[in-house]
Amino acid sequence: MDKGKAVMGTGRRWAVEFSDQSTVPSSRDILDPPGFSRASPEQDDSATSRQKKDAEANWKLQKAWEVAQSPFKNLMMMGFMMWMAGNTVHLFSIGITFSALWQPISALQSVGKIFEPFKDNKVELLMPKLVFLALNLGGLALGIWKLNTLGLLPTHASDWVSSLAPPQEVEHSGGGFVFH
Amino acid sequence: MAIRVYLLFLLFLSSAIVTYSLYEDQAGLMDWHQRYIGKVKHAVFHTQKTGRKRVIVSTEENVVASLDLRLGEIFWRHVLGTKDAIDGVDIALGKYVITLSSEGSTLRAWNLPDGQMVWETSLHSAQQSKSLLSVPVNLKVDKDYPILVFGGGYLHAVSAIDGEVLWKKDFTAEGFEVQRVLQPPGSRIIYVLGFVNSAEAVVYQIDSKTGEVVSQKSMEFPGGFSGGISSVSSDKVVVLDSTRSILVTIIFLDGGISFQKTRISDLVEDSGNAEILSPLLTNMLAVKVNKRTIFVRVDGEGKLEVVDSLSDETAMSDSLPVADDQEAFASIHHEGSKIHLMVKLVNDLDTVLLKESIQMDQHRGRVHKVFVNNYIRTDRSNGFRALIVMEDHSLLLLQQGAIVWSREEGLASVTDVTTAELPVEKDGVSVSKVEHTLVDWLKGHVLKLKGSLLLASPEDVAAIQEMRLKSSGRSKLTRDHNGFRKLIIALTRAGKLFALHTGDGRIVWSMLLNSPSKSEACERPSGISLYQWQVPHHHAMDENPSVLVVGRCGSDSSAPGVLSFVDVYTGKEISSSDIGHSVVQVLPLPFTDETEQRLHLIADTNGHVHLYPKTSEALSIFEREFQNVYWYTVEADDGIIRGHAMKSSCSGETADKYCFTTRELWTVVFPSESEKIISTLTRKPNEVVHTQAKVNTDQDLLYKYVSKNLLFVATVSPKGAGEISSVTPEESALVVYLIDTITGRILHRLSHQGCQGPVHAVFSENWVVYHYFNLRAHKYEVTVVEIYDQSRAENKNVWKLILGKHNLTAPISSYSRPEVFTKSQSYFFAQSVKTIAVTSTAKGITSKQLLIGTIGDQILALDKRFVDPRRTLNPSQAEKEEGIIPLTDSLPIIPQSYITHSLKVEGLRGIITAPAKLESTTHVFAYGVDLFYTRLAPSKTYDSLTDDFSYALLLITIVALVAAIYITWVLSEKKELSEKWR
């Protein structure tokens, strides 16, 4: 890959200018042909392009909502898997639980990226984002709940006491049978 | 959370592995076993035949054994029971070893070459009496060779061939005690000489064929006899009278008895109490008077005449016939660090047949016994070999001026054991090279790999085994990272201290406490117990650790005590002191001074306690804790337990400031008509408990009542204190108590109706497991009692615990009256038990195993999970996952969980456990007549790789992977290049 880049970097350059400079008549030496009106097509197209843009925005919003709701399916599936895995600690249940925790977290991290394609001035993305967040947080909560049911969260008194050493005793005594 | 995961992990491991067991080739890798016989009482040589030369010995540990005379190895050995003391041993018919035991009531014959029992005869015994075994050399009655045995008031003649009783004579009515059985050569009449009530000498002439009394003569001796007797010839014996100042020669020639009195003061000038010594010498006897040993010759008329006198510390052998109707005997006396062995003719004390001087280790003490045996040298002269028993019970064979072999038989009577660390490896000291070069190392591992892949040939297997035994420097004399190498300090009954290496069991050093160089003030101190005096760590690293041996100057409990401080690294005595007061109890306190010396209180018979070490620093530490130190005594005979507190400094002119008086605080009196104390037990003072909480399946919390001031007491009805099944179930009851030794409060009482001792118990953390006999079920039972603290049970709020708002770590006092409750459960156990111990680890995290010394002298490791009061018939799923075993009526005995595998620790008396540095591992040392040591990992070694982990396999895998990565990289480069050129 590097070699390719290197070739491109040091090689000869040439460019074709495709941009239309026709909107600037003064720069042109050649006159427009007779009967050609420079302004008219733009005015004509404006109605259709707006329509097109509206449709696109609608489509984007729809897609955004779809994406926002997609964790719900995931959530359902996770719930089912968790129920299948049972409440004992073994490889399967641990794997399920950690994937259930990881998925929402990674999704939450990349909220911006996921909704990037639907970014538009006209599309209100706040609601889909919020729904997406809520659903993922729900997934996260489900994972944490599962973690707790597996007994891996320190939510019981036993978790905090089991590391406490026995208390010191104030009095000391010794003795026993008399030596014979 | 980490702890939870850790615990779960542990639990997994422990539930996955139900039993501890090892493979055949692992035996002897971590464990060692040493066989002993004990202090020799009698020895009979068997050297006539041209086969293997051997000596038959019987010992104070009730062992009869046959030893190889060349090497001192045991050919065969039998350990009789503790109540089956051997009274006599002899060889009959040249092929049987005859032993008389149990006060003359059991006679056994063992095959001389292999030690198999040929016959056993129980002899009738009516009363307690002295017992006597006599194997006449050339007495033959109708093709039979009778053995004459006196014991229990009966004289028996037993056939040597099959052990049948030929005849018996009842002497119980007369109260006749046989002293000597004499047999004039060539006659079928035997003379039986004895005393009636120690005042009348009686001689019976008995027909050896029928047992009929041919004639009986008796004669009263005014004043009476004392015990000592010496038979000097076939018609004369010499005894001491009851005042111990007159020697009486009894002549019973031709059916008549006559006495001849000789005052000892006529023989020697300054006479005191005399004592007849045991050696059998012809026409001569040895008498100990006034710390001198005098030889007295007896002539034909019974006249006595002193022929020689020796110093007190001379040991002598019996006389033995040498050529030309001569008899010789051996004597050994000390001179400096040498011993002198002399063999002289009995008739002519000036003729010295042999004189040898041998350098002797000071720490063997004095010679106690000598047994001598002769052989014919190539030049037809007599050679002698002497078997000697030393003060430290060791057994040595001397021949041609050298010690041929020696056996440390003191280790057969270990009384107390502790452990000590080895020195830290110094920087400058290079590690002894275990694996020499990389090639050797690789070779070794390739061999191991072959072994694990089952490719090894028998020679390879042998090589692997040898390598394992030598490997990892397990017998080095420095501390190792895992704490596997330690010293076991053992105190023996002879008062000798041994340091054994855990790696291979060799004796690193040994030290006799009462070595002859010591002061005269305390002549024969006997060791009582052993304590860790100084265990340096942290700031006192430069000090050597030391142990404290508490001894006593006599057998009486009021005799003054002796303290001896011994350096553990060197085995040298740092100091010793006669402390000038008696020792009834030693209380190690949980405080140490600047140099890590532990404070000890020693209680005397007056109820005073003395503080050691006697330094002002120790005194200030003790005075700080003065109010909090208590002391209790168990008076088993009276059924009383008393608690004492410190009161004040001693007053009186002899008192020093380290002496304190005590006052009685409480007494627990058991009704003497219904309860008798048979066993008490406390927790080990150095036990480490990891946590105070016990978590149940449903995350429920129980707080353990972990207190060092708890005393477990077991009592039985006085009727039930005897043998098992000697009472009916209605008459016997076993009651166990848990008593707080600070306040005397009885925390728990549990009564077992129809049960009986002996009780063997083990107390650890918050539980007691004890073993007893159930008379109704005719089975042994094991009961577990777990103690929980009710008053802390309220501490269950998570937030309070998270924020640390609890009082769980605050110091507790017994005066705060903790409310406790107990859980208990009982199980049947199929075996009779000699002792129980429990594993102990460095942090107390690893699950525990009970180590049960069974009646078969083996040690069974039983998981604590089997004695868990939470066991139910149908545990729930969650309980099963936690490792709770369904309840069964009896505890399983899994053959693989015998940690002694195929070995036996004969005469097992005690099991000691000590933690290694590695949390998973514990040292186990069992002692009896034999010694056994092993390392145990109750939950397997979860914190280290096992010894047989194949490093070679790992290495090969890594190398192969690296090579594969390199090769694929090269290949991919090539491919890429060719792609580019296309």
Side-chain angles (χ1 to χ4, degrees), chain A residues 169 171, chain B residues 705 740 742-748 788-792 811-821:
Chain A
E169 281 179 284
E171 295 96 354
Chain B
Y705 186 69
D740 187 305
I742 304 294
T743 59
R745 195 159 76 103
I746 295 173
L747 296 176
H748 183 61
Y788 293 100
D789 192 343
Q790 185 68 60
S791 50
R792 324 179 128 232
I812 53 163
S813 162
S814 289
Y815 288 108
S816 60
R817 285 186 70 84
E819 292 303 314
V820 299
F821 69 98

Side-chain angles (χ1 to χ4, degrees), chain B residues 825-969:
Chain B
Q825 210 166 57
S826 297
Y827 321 87
F828 289 128
F829 190 70
Q831 291 221 28
S832 176
V833 161
K834 282 187 164 179
T835 178
I836 310 183
V838 65
T839 57
S840 56
T841 51
K843 300 263 190 303
I845 299 170
T846 309
S847 60
K848 298 214 179 253
Q849 276 184 334
L850 299 178
L851 302 174
I852 302 172
T854 64
I855 196 74
D857 290 328
Q858 293 210 308
I859 301 169
L860 182 77
L862 184 76
D863 268 14
K864 170 68 176 64
R865 293 186 298 136
F866 285 103
V867 282
D868 185 350
R870 288 167 60 214
R871 284 175 72 183
T872 50
L873 277 177
N874 292 308
S876 66
Q877 186 61 34
E879 280 177 333
K880 268 187 202 162
E881 274 164 23
E882 206 195 305
I884 288 186
I885 302 160
L887 182 62
T888 47
D889 62 344
S890 61
L891 294 176
I893 294 177
I894 303 152
Q896 290 94 317
S897 56
Y898 280 107
I899 60 167
T900 45
H901 41 93
S902 62
L903 303 168
K904 273 175 92 178
V905 189
E906 293 282 3
L908 179 67
R909 283 197 313 266
I911 303 168
I912 296 290
T913 59
K917 253 185 233 159
L918 205 62
E919 167 57 27
S920 66
T921 312
T922 172
H923 297 277
V924 179
F925 178 66
Y927 59 91
V929 175
D930 290 352
L931 302 181
F932 177 79
Y933 162 85
T934 190
R935 272 202 318 266
L936 276 191
S939 304
K940 290 259 163 176
T941 46
Y942 56 82
D943 48 3
S944 73
L945 294 171
T946 52
D947 278 345
D948 48 354
F949 180 79
S950 182
Y951 289 97
L953 192 62
L954 184 71
L955 203 74
I956 290 168
T957 316
I958 291 169
V959 168
L961 276 174
V962 169
I965 287 168
Y966 182 74
I967 291 164
T968 45
W969 179 71

Side-chain angles (χ1 to χ4, degrees), chain B residues 52-286:
Chain B
R52 287 153 141 184
K53 307 241 183 295
R54 61 185 80 212
V55 57
I56 312 297
V57 292
S58 73
T59 72
E60 285 176 359
E61 303 296 324
N62 304 341
V63 176
V64 54
S66 166
L67 303 179
D68 187 342
L69 259 186
R70 292 222 169 83
L71 303 165
E73 282 167 1
I74 299 172
F75 279 135
W76 54 262
R77 176 185 69 156
H78 293 286
V79 182
L80 310 183
T82 46
K83 289 174 187 159
D84 204 7
I86 299 171
D87 305 310
V89 63
D90 211 337
I91 293 176
L93 306 175
K95 58 178 179 179
Y96 293 158
V97 176
I98 308 291
T99 59
L100 180 69
S101 57
S102 294
E103 291 175 330
S105 63
T106 313
L107 191 68
R108 297 188 181 94
W110 317 88
N111 194 15
L112 186 57
D114 58 4
Q116 285 188 1
M117 194 196 278
V118 184
W119 50 257
E120 179 187 52
T121 306
S122 289
L123 302 175
H124 193 263
S125 159
Q127 63 196 35
Q128 280 211 335
S129 74
K130 201 179 133 163
S131 57
L132 191 92
L133 170 70
S134 168
V135 182
V137 184
N138 42 14
L139 182 67
K140 189 182 176 191
V141 179
D142 294 347
K143 294 178 186 166
D144 214 337
Y145 298 88
I147 296 165
L148 297 166
V149 177
F150 176 75
Y154 283 84
L155 181 71
H156 293 260
V158 182
S159 161
I161 293 164
D162 54 5
E164 215 167 297
V165 176
L166 300 173
W167 50 262
K168 69 178 173 186
K169 182 83 186 79
D170 185 359
F171 289 124
T172 48
E174 298 100 312
F176 178 71
E177 290 236 329
V178 173
Q179 299 289 341
R180 281 285 182 273
V181 176
L182 300 161
Q183 184 232 341
S187 159
R188 51 183 268 184
I189 301 293
I190 50 171
Y191 289 79
V192 178
L193 171 81
F195 302 144
V196 177
N197 302 326
S198 302
E200 191 181 356
V202 186
V203 176
Y204 287 93
Q205 290 185 22
I206 294 175
D207 187 334
S208 60
K209 189 179 174 187
T210 59
E212 274 171 33
V213 175
V214 178
S215 77
Q216 178 201 355
K217 287 274 153 33
S218 69
M219 194 169 173
E220 194 110 2
F221 182 79
F225 304 112
S226 70
I229 181 165
S230 179
S231 54
V232 289
S233 65
S234 60
D235 58 357
K236 283 191 280 298
V237 296
V238 180
V239 292
L240 263 179
D241 82 332
S242 55
T243 61
R244 292 179 174 273
S245 59
I246 300 169
L247 285 170
V248 184
T249 313
I250 304 173
I251 306 165
F252 46 98
L253 198 66
D254 302 330
I257 298 185
S258 62
F259 295 134
Q260 191 138 17
K261 291 189 241 176
T262 313
R263 292 196 162 273
I264 291 169
S265 52
D266 296 343
L267 298 171
V268 286
E269 295 89 57
D270 46 343
S271 62
N273 273 357
E275 193 183 330
I276 290 185
L277 297 176
S278 54
L280 281 172
L281 307 167
T282 315
N283 289 330
M284 189 141 74
L285 78 153

Side-chain angles (χ1 to χ4, degrees), chain B residues 24 43 139 221 290 320 487 509 571 575 577 605 667 733 774 784 840 950 978:
Chain B
E24 190 185 349
L139 182 67
F221 182 79
N290 247 353
L320 85 164
L487 286 179
W509 52 259
S575 66
S577 53
T605 41
T667 50
N774 186 334
V784 55
S840 56
S950 182
S978 60

Side-chain angles (χ1 to χ4, degrees), chain A residues 24-38:
Chain A
V24 191
S26 59
S27 70
R28 286 178 152 263
D29 305 333
I30 307 151
L31 290 170
D32 284 342
F36 176 78
S37 163
R38 192 165 288 272

